[in-house]
Amino acid sequence: MRYGWFFLCVLLHRGAGAQAQSPSPEKFINSIFPTVVDSTLPHYFLVAGTDTCRFVKYDYDEWADHHLLEPVPISILNELAEKVYHSGARYLWKQDSLTKAICVTRHQADSILYLNPPDGDGTPRHLIFSFSLPQFTDDGKYAVIDLNMVCGGRCGLGSTYIFRRTESGWKMIGVYRNWSA
C-alpha cells in the first residue's frame, strides 16, 4: 500500500510539472508562413540549414513600446532570449515535412539570386528564405523565430517574430525589423 501511494504521488508530480509539447520546427513553419509571407505563392525556396536567431539581447522598453502587438510579460521574453542563447545546434529542414518549401543549398540559393536583377524583381522565382530554428517557452505557449528573405543583391529583409499559441493556431504578437535592403 505504501508503494502505491508513492507511485501515485510521483505520477501526480510529473503531471503537474509536465510541459506542453511544442510542434516540430517544420509544423511550426507550415503554420506561421502564411502569416508572414504572401500565402498565395505556390512554393518558396528555403535554405536547407537554419540561421541563428538574433533574439538574444533585446531592449524590453523598445519591444513593449514599438514592436509588440499585445502585452507580453518580461519573463516570457527573457525565457525566449535564454532559449535562443542556448540553441547552438545547426538544424537541417526536413523537406518532406514542409508543405510549400523547396529546400536549396546556399550554393543553389546564390545561383537563383544570380539570375535576378541587382535590385530584385520581387517575383517568387527569385525569393530565397532562411529561418532560424524556432524556440518555444517551456509551456509551449510562445515562440520566437527569425525569418529572412532575399530577393537580389540589394533587395531583402530580415525580422524577428514572436508568436503566441491560441486555440485557432499561432498568432503573431510581435515583430522587429533587423535589416532591410
Side-chain angles (χ1 to χ4, degrees), residues 56-177:
V56 175
K57 186 177 177 182
Y58 67 93
D59 180 334
Y60 179 77
D61 291 330
E62 182 180 347
W63 270 86
D65 292 342
H66 304 289
H67 306 291
L68 292 175
L69 305 174
E70 64 182 45
V72 178
I74 193 169
S75 60
I76 296 296
L77 297 179
N78 284 342
E79 183 180 350
L80 290 170
E82 183 178 2
K83 299 276 184 182
V84 170
Y85 177 77
H86 289 292
S87 68
R90 296 283 295 158
Y91 184 81
L92 294 177
W93 298 108
K94 295 175 180 71
Q95 172 72 67
D96 59 342
S97 298
L98 294 164
T99 53
K100 289 190 170 190
I102 298 172
C103 291
V104 296
T105 65
R106 292 197 184 276
H107 180 72
Q108 290 169 322
D110 288 344
S111 295
I112 292 167
L113 291 173
Y114 178 75
L115 299 173
N116 199 8
D119 294 326
D121 65 3
T123 63
R125 63 191 180 107
H126 294 292
L127 298 177
I128 303 292
F129 291 89
S130 64
F131 307 145
S132 68
L133 188 62
Q135 297 299 315
F136 302 93
T137 54
D138 286 342
D139 63 7
K141 292 181 181 177
Y142 292 89
V144 65
I145 188 169
D146 272 16
L147 284 83
N148 299 294
M149 186 268 310
V150 178
C151 49
R154 294 177 290 201
C155 175
L157 61 93
S159 300
T160 299
Y161 291 90
I162 297 177
F163 291 88
R164 181 176 53 81
R165 187 186 299 224
T166 68
E167 289 182 11
S168 59
W170 290 95
K171 177 183 178 186
M172 182 181 59
I173 60 167
V175 61
Y176 179 84
R177 179 76 39 97

